[in-house]
Amino acid sequence: MEALLIQAFNGISLGSILLLIALGLAITFGLMKVINMAHGELIMIGAYTTYVVQSIFTQYIPAHLFDLYFVLAIPIAFIVAALIGMLLEYTIIRHLYGRPLDSLLATFGVGLILQQTARSIFGAPNVGVEAPSFLRGGVEVMSVTLPVSRLFIIALVLVCFAILSFYLYKTNNGRKIRAVMQNRQMAMCVGISTRRVDATTFAIGAGIAGIAGAALTLIGPIGPTIGTFYIVDAFMVVVVGGVGMLVGTVAGAMGIGVFNTVFEYWTNASMGKVLIFALIVLFLQWRPSGMFSLRTRSLD
């Protein structure tokens, strides 16, 4: 029973991390059909932003207020990553709409530039971020100790998903985003500024990637290539769940997280990754559009 509980928690924990990483990619990839290979570097920016906030608190803020750094680091990481994402969209991405291969190559180059910039500023070795005191230790559940940091990440994912869902389905701007996602030409005909929608959506997706980077600092050390370890998994989550579908992103992240944990438990880490790739290939042969597909009136 304890082993089953541990494996279930590990699967949910991994799935929640993948979900937080893939949420921003789901709306940008689903809306603009842009293959953003620099998404991992936006995660890196969020992680390094958290490290900078920690350094500021260590040097200039009284020690008894140190734990507040992480509370402030999450919104700051969102803002910094969103601003950089907005700049990236304005200077490069907006010229590559409808050209997915060109966008892949361009954003891959941008990712390399951002990695080298991080090396120049922070150095090549990985740096560590000290978790605040309230996120250390564990909670005992049925004779199993669950790390508080992982429970916090799961809660953070739930909050981000709830806010994003409310924004997309209950606000006027969210309805515009979904309208453009379903039929861009018709949305333009009814007066929606698709240019503004694209910029806003890309900024939101980049900001969520920044939050994911802040959360990853609780798991281990961070470095210039931290995002590259997750970018392939993020695309797998989006494609398996269904491009542009939030519910599908949740299902894809949790499915990949749980199956990956189970396969690793039966075999090892390398073979588990091979099996999950094979399972995804077989699934996409059966459902090429993913678990959920977007209903649209578009004729193409």
Side-chain angles (χ1 to χ4, degrees):
M1 184 63 182
E2 292 183 5
L4 180 62
L5 182 60
I6 292 174
Q7 292 304 315
F9 176 76
N10 289 339
I12 295 174
S13 176
L14 177 59
S16 64
I17 294 171
L18 293 177
L19 175 58
L20 187 58
I21 292 171
L23 267 181
L25 192 63
I27 57 176
T28 55
F29 188 35
L31 175 67
M32 294 175 280
K33 304 299 186 292
V34 172
I35 304 176
N36 181 20
M37 294 301 294
H39 188 77
E41 281 60 48
L42 294 172
I43 295 171
M44 174 202 69
I45 289 171
Y48 273 117
T49 300
T50 306
Y51 172 73
V52 170
V53 174
Q54 175 198 250
S55 301
I56 293 174
F57 267 72
T58 302
Q59 297 178 18
Y60 304 107
I61 306 298
H64 67 278
L65 298 176
F66 176 77
D67 286 349
L68 294 177
Y69 92 87
F70 197 77
V71 178
L72 294 176
I74 293 176
I76 293 175
F78 176 88
I79 294 172
V80 172
L83 290 176
I84 293 177
M86 188 178 297
L87 178 64
L88 175 63
E89 194 277 338
Y90 182 77
T91 56
I92 298 176
I93 300 298
R94 73 187 182 115
H95 302 291
L96 301 175
Y97 292 141
R99 298 158 58 187
L101 295 181
D102 293 341
S103 68
L104 186 154
L105 182 61
T107 54
F108 180 75
V110 170
L112 294 179
I113 293 173
L114 292 175
Q115 284 186 25
Q116 190 57 47
T117 303
R119 289 189 182 95
S120 301
I121 297 174
F122 300 100
N126 293 345
V127 296
V129 175
E130 183 180 353
S133 60
F134 60 86
L135 293 180
R136 301 172 192 166
V139 176
E140 188 170 335
V141 178
M142 299 176 63
S143 302
V144 176
T145 302
L146 305 179
V148 176
S149 59
R150 294 298 184 105
L151 293 174
F152 174 81
I153 292 175
I154 294 174
L156 179 63
V157 172
L158 293 176
V159 171
C160 291
F161 180 78
I163 293 175
L164 183 60
S165 298
F166 178 82
Y167 179 79
L168 289 178
Y169 292 95
K170 298 298 182 180
T171 66
N172 187 44
N173 289 334
R175 294 186 183 97
K176 291 180 180 178
I177 291 175
R178 291 190 293 118
V180 174
M181 190 179 298
Q182 291 184 19
N183 193 319
R184 178 177 293 267
Q185 287 74 23
M186 184 60 69
M188 293 175 63
C189 291
V190 298
I192 296 177
S193 174
T194 56
R195 178 72 198 90
R196 184 180 301 172
V197 168
D198 289 337
T200 303
T201 304
F202 200 88
I204 293 173
I208 295 175
I211 295 177
L216 289 178
T217 61
L218 298 174
I219 299 177
I222 60 175
T225 59
I226 184 174
T228 59
F229 296 118
Y230 296 97
I231 185 64
V232 174
D233 291 336
F235 274 105
M236 286 197 303
V237 168
V238 173
V239 173
V240 169
V243 176
M245 302 297 294
L246 285 186
V247 176
T249 305
V250 176
M254 291 303 165
I256 291 176
V258 170
F259 277 108
N260 193 34
T261 303
V262 170
F263 290 153
E264 288 184 2
Y265 179 73
W266 284 346
T267 57
N268 53 59
S270 300
M271 185 55 66
K273 185 67 70 174
V274 171
L275 291 175
I276 197 68
F277 270 113
L279 185 63
I280 290 174
V281 169
L282 292 175
F283 175 78
L284 292 178
Q285 293 291 324
W286 174 51
R287 290 186 65 90
S289 60
M291 294 181 183
F292 300 88
S293 58
L294 185 66
R295 294 183 178 181
T296 176
R297 294 180 182 272
S298 177
L299 294 179
D300 55 5

